[in-house]
């Protein structure tokens, strides 16, 4: 009756909106097509650059309030290679990939990965206000350079599968918690050993394994 479209409850697609106006004996009708596109659905149209607005619907690079979905079957897949970027929920579908290199991706909501999430040289910061979980097999080969806990919820962050830290696990304040379910390993290789940041006022619940690299000789 009005032609109004409620975007929040609309799915992506092309829709035909028909206006019909009746007044007395006269009738007027017209139609228009609209395209509904969700901000945060990676298009990968021009490059792998996350910050290139042409790779996102409506030319809008998502922020920490947007859900990001990376679908399979695209030409390019995103690489985050500088600075700190933020999303709410992150979904990587089958056949898709995301790489975080020398940078940090903040996640305020959930991570759902059915593709590849390469974080061997990058960081993930869990900064939600509700309890967060890192599911098993989230990261390729379970490898994560840096894990940053900024979650302010009393339940904090829970590991539901193995996570191997290659550089550091740190907190951004006090009163933060990680529950390992015995899935946390601080890795040690020839070039360095992972370390744990300031634990003052913070908590690790569950076991963590610390490795120490030994060169290939008797020791």
């Amino acid at each position: 009756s009005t032609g109004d479209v409620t975007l929040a409850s609309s799915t992506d697609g092309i829709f035909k909106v028909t206006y019909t106006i009746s007044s007395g004996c006269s009738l007027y009708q017209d139609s228009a097509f609209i395209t509904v596109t969700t901000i945060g659905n990676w298009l990968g149209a021009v490059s792998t650059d996350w910050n290139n607005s042409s790779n996102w619907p409506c030319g809008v690079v998502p922020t920490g309030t947007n859900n990001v979905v990376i679908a399979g079957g695209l030409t390019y897949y995103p690489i985050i290679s500088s600075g700190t970027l933020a999303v709410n929920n992150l979904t990587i579908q089958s056949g898709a990939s995301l790489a975080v290199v020398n940078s940090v991706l903040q996640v305020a909501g959930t991570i759902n990965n059915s593709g590849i999430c390469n974080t061997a040289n990058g960081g993930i910061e869990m900064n939600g206000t509700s309890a967060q979980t890192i599911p098993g097999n989230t990261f390729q080969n379970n490898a994560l350079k840096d894990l940053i806990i900024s979650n302010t919820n009393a339940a904090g962050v829970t590991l539901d599968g193995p996570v191997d830290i290659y550089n550091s696990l740190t907190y951004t304040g006090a009163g933060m918690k990680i529950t390992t379910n015995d899935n946390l390993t601080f890795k040690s290789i020839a070039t360095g050993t992972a370390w744990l940041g300031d634990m003052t006022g913070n908590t690790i619940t569950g076991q963590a394994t610390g490795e120490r690299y030994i060169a290939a000789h008797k020791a």
Side-chain angles (χ1 to χ4, degrees):
S1 60
T2 65
D4 290 346
V5 177
T6 305
L7 294 176
S9 58
S10 299
T11 58
D12 286 11
I14 300 174
F15 301 92
K16 184 179 181 180
V17 180
T18 300
Y19 305 82
T20 302
I21 302 173
S22 178
S23 177
C25 296
S26 62
L27 178 68
Y28 174 77
Q29 190 175 75
D30 199 1
S31 298
F33 288 91
I34 65 168
T35 300
V36 177
T37 304
T38 302
I39 293 174
N41 287 352
W42 171 262
L43 300 176
V46 297
S47 70
T48 62
D49 184 359
W50 178 287
N51 287 312
N52 188 326
S53 61
S54 296
N55 285 316
W56 298 99
C58 306
V60 178
V61 178
T63 65
T65 60
N66 299 127
N67 299 326
V68 168
V69 177
I70 305 170
L74 303 178
T75 303
Y76 298 101
Y77 289 103
I79 298 174
I80 301 172
S81 58
S82 63
T84 299
L85 300 178
V87 300
N88 185 33
N89 298 325
L90 173 65
T91 300
I92 305 172
Q93 297 180 354
S94 178
S97 67
L98 167 67
V100 183
V101 182
N102 298 323
S103 55
V104 174
L105 177 63
Q106 295 176 332
V107 180
T110 61
I111 303 176
N112 297 288
N113 178 27
S114 299
I116 296 173
C117 184
N118 185 343
T119 53
N121 294 298
I124 295 292
E125 180 175 350
M126 306 298 286
N127 68 337
T129 55
S130 300
Q132 291 179 282
T133 297
I134 299 178
N137 301 314
T138 292
F139 309 119
Q140 187 178 29
N141 299 321
N142 302 320
L144 177 59
K145 182 180 179 183
D146 297 300
L147 176 58
I148 304 167
I149 306 298
S150 298
N151 186 293
T152 58
N153 187 271
V157 177
T158 298
L159 305 184
D160 267 1
V163 174
D164 296 337
I165 304 296
Y166 279 83
N167 187 55
S168 68
L169 166 62
T170 57
Y171 302 83
T172 59
M176 298 174 185
K177 177 181 179 180
I178 181 170
T179 300
T180 71
N181 288 320
D182 303 344
N183 286 315
L184 180 64
T185 300
F186 291 88
K187 302 296 287 185
S188 183
I189 59 177
T191 55
T193 296
W195 51 275
L196 175 64
D198 187 353
M199 284 291 297
T200 305
N202 297 307
T203 305
I204 293 180
T205 299
Q207 294 183 7
T209 299
E211 294 184 351
R212 175 64 68 184
Y213 173 83
I214 300 174
H217 56 74
K218 290 182 180 181

